[in-house]
Amino acid sequence: MCSHQGGLFSKCGLNARLVGVSSSSDVDGRHVYRRQIPLYVEDSLTLIIEIPETVTPMARVRQSDIDKFSKCKYQALTADELNGVVRVPEKGVFDFLSRTVPCVGCRKSIERLYCQLKKSGQPALEPIYVTTSGELSLHPSFLSDPRQFYALFYLQGNCLNEMVESIHKSKRNR
C-alpha cells in the first residue's frame, strides 16, 4: 500500500465511496449518477464509486477577498482568455502526473480513470470535466462566477497543493 492512501485525502474531503458492485454487463443498463463513475476492475467485475462534492461552501469566502480577486485578477481576462487558461490538453495532464505522482501504480490508475472519464463523459469530478478530445476543463458556470472560481482555485486548490506536497515528503515514496 502506498503511504499516501488513506488520511491525506480525507483532509480535503476527497474520500470516494463504493456505492455498487456488479458484473460489467449489469452496469451498462444501470443509471450512473452525476458524481459516480464505474471502475472496470476485470471483465466480469465493475465497482461504482461516488466522489463527494468538493466545492468549498460560500460562507467560508470573505467578500473582501472576492472583491480583491475579482478586481485584480478575474476581470483582467476576457471570457475567451479565462476559458483558455482553464483548459489543459491531455498530454499536459499526463506530463504533470509523471512529474508529481511518484508511485507508478497510482499514476497508471489515475491515467486509466482519466481515459475512462474521457470516453464516458461522466461528470464525476464536476465542476472539472474531461472533454471527448481529452482536454481537462472547468464547467462554464464556474467561469462566469468569480466567487465559485475563487473558492475552487484559492481555497480548494490550496488544500490539494498541500496534499500533493505531503505525498512528496513521504519517506516511503523516496
Side-chain angles (χ1 to χ4, degrees):
M1 176 187 268
C2 288
S3 62
H4 55 273
Q5 291 175 336
L8 291 176
F9 294 100
S10 62
K11 176 176 152 180
C12 293
L14 294 176
N15 287 333
R17 286 186 321 133
L18 179 64
V19 294
V21 179
S22 64
S23 68
S24 292
S25 60
D26 289 346
V27 173
D28 295 335
R30 181 185 185 273
H31 181 71
V32 179
Y33 297 100
R34 180 179 138 262
R35 306 272 319 160
Q36 296 179 350
I37 186 164
L39 296 178
Y40 302 102
V41 179
E42 298 174 352
D43 290 340
S44 62
L45 179 63
T46 302
L47 305 176
I48 308 294
I49 62 165
E50 184 172 271
I51 300 169
E53 294 287 340
T54 56
V55 178
T56 303
M58 289 296 140
R60 287 189 48 203
V61 180
R62 292 188 309 217
Q63 188 59 45
S64 61
D65 292 339
I66 293 294
D67 293 342
K68 183 178 177 183
F69 166 76
S70 184
K71 182 179 178 185
C72 298
K73 297 181 181 179
Y74 184 82
Q75 293 176 354
L77 299 173
T78 66
D80 288 339
E81 289 171 332
L82 195 58
N83 191 34
V85 297
V86 297
R87 294 186 171 276
V88 181
E90 184 173 17
K91 183 180 180 341
V93 172
F94 289 160
D95 287 348
F96 178 77
L97 285 174
S98 68
R99 291 189 315 270
T100 59
V101 181
C103 171
V104 175
C106 297
R107 186 169 55 245
K108 293 298 179 190
S109 293
I110 295 168
E111 290 171 358
R112 279 193 305 274
L113 177 61
Y114 189 90
C115 291
Q116 200 170 332
L117 288 170
K118 173 184 166 183
K119 183 179 177 183
S120 71
Q122 185 68 15
L125 303 175
E126 198 173 65
I128 298 168
Y129 68 96
V130 181
T131 66
T132 55
S133 64
E135 201 171 51
L136 191 67
S137 192
L138 190 61
H139 194 275
S141 68
F142 272 71
L143 293 176
S144 62
D145 184 350
R147 289 179 60 90
Q148 288 184 325
F149 197 85
Y150 176 86
L152 182 67
F153 284 101
Y154 283 87
L155 301 179
Q156 282 291 0
N158 286 338
C159 181
L160 295 173
N161 282 335
E162 289 173 17
M163 183 182 66
V164 169
E165 287 301 315
S166 67
I167 291 170
H168 290 300
K169 293 175 183 171
S170 168
K171 292 178 184 175
R172 295 173 82 184
N173 282 324
R174 289 185 185 171

